[in-house]
Amino acid sequence: MAGMSAGRSALRMGPAELVQAAAMARRFYLEGKSKIQIAEEFGVSRFKVARVLETALERDLVRIEIRVPAELDAERSDALRARYGLRHAVVVESPAEGEDESPDPENLGEVAADLLGELVTEGDVLGLAWGRSTIHMAAALDRLPPCTVVQLTGVYDAGTAERGSVEAVRRAAQVSGGEAHPIYAPMLLPDPATAAALRSQTGIARAFEYFDKVTVACVSIGSWEPGISTVHDMLSDEERAHYASLGVAAEMSAHLFDAEGRRVGRDLGERCITVEADRLRRIPEVVAIAGGQRKAAAIGAVLRSGLVTSLVTDRAAADYLLTESSPGTHPALDRTDPDGS
């Protein structure tokens, strides 16, 4: 409520009516009293209280403003949620031109950290996949209920594990006070046999055992171009050309998707240390963190796959996603709601 305004329309009320309406509005909007309590105080019916409050709004005695922090775009968030059938969509302002030209602006991770603080409940199992945005998110975490944290993919470069996904898992577990189950292995291996051998190792196998218990997952999205997809950067030129010929447009947790959200290049998964797509689909809440114009089409492709239930993005990507000719179908809507309803 912005305050009282004795505008031209409001002056049509007599002074006693104005004073009473102002008092009732203060009780209702500022003090949180119910209409029944207000009726008892003023010796009138609750129906009259309702009429007075309605008149106060109509005649500009009361102004209601809905405000969210400046960095959040509530209108785009709601439109994006509805258009793609998401459970949650949070759109933040894009960095000023030249301010942050990285494919994963840090402010996305900061907002995603706050979102996880809302979504994760005590006893949950939180899964974190490799990605710069998830690393930013973990670094920004300052609250999490007690939960187990498990790594969902290998790392981009085993030599940087301590500064990447492994550290993100440890950080989240430290904030929550729960167990950490990291994966000390590369995401992509030379061949399926090597990947299978690594999956059978004790530490990695223990992490994989938690995959079916994950209740909230956090993933990143990459478009199929250098510097924007970790998988793209790990492949040879010949392999990139092969998968490009299959129509790959997006990558998430080493799974490849064409522009319509269909999985392509499934053979790549046999060489990867990552959560399987079918397991991802069974996780009640999968939050993707990705933004920027360069990733916008890829984000749309992954949303059409139905593997993601919620999205943290920026205005640049949201504007593209909201003007796409067709958002496609949303199989993610068939999932069981996290609270069991």
Side-chain angles (χ1 to χ4, degrees):
M1 185 175 73
M4 300 302 167
S5 173
R8 183 176 300 174
S9 60
L11 290 176
R12 295 173 185 170
M13 299 175 70
E17 291 176 306
L18 281 169
V19 170
Q20 185 183 68
M24 289 184 176
R26 180 172 296 278
R27 303 290 194 280
F28 186 74
Y29 291 107
L30 295 183
E31 298 176 12
K33 291 188 176 181
S34 70
K35 293 174 184 175
I36 293 176
Q37 289 174 315
I38 297 170
E40 291 175 351
E41 178 182 348
F42 286 88
V44 298
S45 71
R46 61 186 176 91
F47 301 105
K48 180 174 181 179
V49 173
R51 286 196 302 271
V52 170
L53 293 175
E54 184 178 352
T55 300
L57 284 172
E58 290 175 349
R59 300 194 176 187
D60 210 23
L61 273 170
V62 175
R63 295 177 183 174
I64 298 175
E65 295 181 1
I66 299 173
R67 293 183 177 180
V68 295
E71 68 271 16
L72 299 182
D73 192 317
E75 186 175 348
R76 283 181 174 87
S77 297
D78 188 56
L80 197 61
R81 178 200 57 76
R83 183 172 174 82
Y84 285 87
L86 297 168
R87 188 169 290 125
H88 304 283
V90 182
V91 178
V92 305
E93 63 181 3
S94 300
E97 188 173 352
E99 183 177 298
D100 188 347
E101 297 180 357
S102 70
D104 299 284
E106 290 192 21
N107 63 334
L108 294 184
E110 293 166 0
V111 173
D114 287 340
L115 179 61
L116 282 189
E118 291 183 70
L119 298 181
V120 176
T121 59
E122 184 172 351
D124 275 345
V125 177
L126 172 63
L128 301 182
W130 158 261
R132 285 176 289 262
S133 56
T134 53
I135 293 170
H136 292 157
M137 180 277 300
L141 282 171
D142 59 11
R143 63 185 177 101
L144 269 183
C147 64
T148 299
V149 187
V150 60
Q151 194 168 323
L152 296 178
T153 66
V155 298
Y156 173 52
D157 181 348
T160 63
E162 295 300 318
R163 301 189 301 275
S165 299
V166 170
E167 178 55 31
V169 169
R170 287 177 171 172
R171 166 66 181 167
Q174 180 183 29
V175 172
S176 74
E179 296 180 2
H181 295 277
I183 294 178
Y184 293 95
M187 181 189 294
L188 180 66
L189 283 303
D191 53 70
T194 304
L198 276 177
R199 290 190 203 102
S200 66
Q201 289 187 358
T202 303
I204 298 174
R206 185 177 298 117
F208 267 65
E209 289 174 359
Y210 276 90
F211 285 1
D212 285 330
K213 303 175 184 177
V214 173
T215 49
V216 180
C218 195
V219 300
S220 297
I221 295 172
S223 57
W224 198 245
E225 58 180 299
I228 311 295
S229 165
T230 51
V231 172
H232 180 282
D233 292 346
M234 287 188 284
L235 296 174
S236 67
D237 290 341
E238 183 179 355
E239 289 170 325
R240 290 171 191 153
H242 165 66
Y243 291 116
S245 71
L246 300 179
V248 59
E251 172 258 317
M252 180 183 69
S253 303
H255 301 295
L256 309 182
F257 305 87
D258 67 11
E260 300 304 316
R262 295 182 293 255
R263 287 186 60 210
V264 296
R266 298 187 183 218
D267 60 305
L268 183 66
E270 298 175 6
R271 297 168 49 194
C272 293
I273 303 297
T274 186
V275 60
E276 299 94 328
D278 288 343
R279 278 175 158 170
L280 266 179
R281 195 179 298 279
R282 292 195 295 270
I283 296 174
E285 185 74 79
V286 178
V287 180
I289 314 169
Q293 290 182 340
R294 295 175 67 186
K295 282 191 175 184
I299 296 169
V302 172
L303 292 182
R304 281 186 282 274
S305 76
L307 294 177
V308 168
T309 61
S310 298
L311 175 68
V312 177
T313 191
D314 63 4
R315 289 174 182 166
D319 285 344
Y320 173 90
L321 294 168
L322 289 170
T323 56
E324 277 194 299
S325 59
S326 173
T329 56
H330 314 295
L333 289 175
D334 296 333
R335 294 169 186 246
T336 300
D337 199 58
D339 64 7
S341 62

